[in-house]
Amino acid sequence: MRKTLGLLLFSVLLSIQISAQTFTLEQLKGFNKLTMDGFKKEMKQLKFKFYDRTEGLSFVVIEYDSPDYTSKIGKFEYTEEKSEDRIEFEFKDKKEYNQYLKLILADQYKETEKGKIITKEPYVDYYRNKEHIRLILPKTGESSPYTIIVFK
């Protein structure tokens, strides 16, 4: 009985570990370099599930849910202003936010601007040379989502 319970607990912990999907900064930057078709193939390989496709006058965004539905990733492509192309990764954990912040600062990115996006969530921009990353916190009083945006 005790062996079975231990094995069951180990299996549950392993499945939680495997299902939680976090990307490195390099992976997020790499997704920006992919074509939209390449991005779709990569998400399919990672077992992400199609969430939505939105098309505006000057952009297309395709979003995917993680296998455990705890995070979402989207690729934006703009027809006219390619510098606006980006990857947005949305997640629920403050600990993960702090890890991204630590990595950004360790990679010599400098904080350049703070503000609020149109939907009132606070953001902080970081630059290193021409590379731009934005971290977005949840609205005041809310615990999630957190977002990292890596611009092309």
Side-chain angles (χ1 to χ4, degrees):
M1 171 86 173
R2 189 175 265 165
K3 264 184 162 175
T4 306
L5 186 59
L7 187 58
L8 181 63
L9 183 60
F10 177 74
S11 298
V12 168
L13 288 173
L14 185 62
S15 69
I16 290 170
Q17 193 74 19
I18 290 170
S19 66
Q21 179 69 55
T22 300
F23 298 107
T24 65
L25 288 177
E26 292 310 312
Q27 284 175 303
L28 293 171
K29 289 176 191 177
F31 293 149
N32 262 332
K33 294 174 184 168
L34 296 174
T35 63
M36 195 59 92
D37 284 340
F39 178 70
K40 290 176 191 177
K41 287 176 187 168
E42 185 69 24
M43 291 301 107
K44 198 176 262 189
Q45 279 186 328
L46 294 170
K47 307 273 190 268
F48 272 60
K49 295 167 181 60
F50 176 79
Y51 177 77
D52 194 21
R53 174 188 165 92
T54 305
E55 206 165 325
L57 292 175
S58 62
F59 73 92
V60 172
V61 61
I62 297 194
E63 296 174 286
Y64 289 86
D65 267 326
S66 63
D68 61 358
Y69 300 100
T70 60
S71 61
K72 189 181 297 174
I73 188 165
K75 179 173 178 68
F76 287 73
E77 283 189 343
Y78 287 80
T79 52
E80 294 172 19
E81 192 56 53
K82 293 310 240 172
S83 65
E84 292 294 317
D85 286 3
R86 64 184 179 259
I87 295 294
E88 289 191 15
F89 181 57
E90 189 178 284
F91 49 93
K92 294 179 170 43
D93 191 0
K94 171 97 167 134
K95 182 177 156 191
E96 196 171 345
Y97 173 88
N98 289 334
Q99 287 172 334
Y100 276 120
L101 178 58
K102 193 175 183 180
L103 288 171
I104 289 167
L105 295 173
D107 274 355
Q108 306 300 310
Y109 283 84
K110 303 290 181 222
E111 182 180 313
T112 58
E113 185 180 344
K114 290 182 177 182
K116 290 193 178 198
I117 62 174
I118 197 165
T119 52
K120 306 290 187 227
E121 291 94 337
Y123 73 86
V124 181
D125 281 341
Y126 298 88
Y127 279 89
R128 181 180 71 188
N129 302 320
K130 293 182 180 183
E131 294 179 36
H132 179 195
I133 294 176
R134 175 174 285 173
L135 290 176
I136 302 173
L137 292 154
K139 287 181 184 175
T140 304
E142 295 183 13
S143 61
S144 70
Y146 294 88
T147 306
I148 181 169
I149 300 174
V150 179
F151 291 90
K152 198 168 197 177

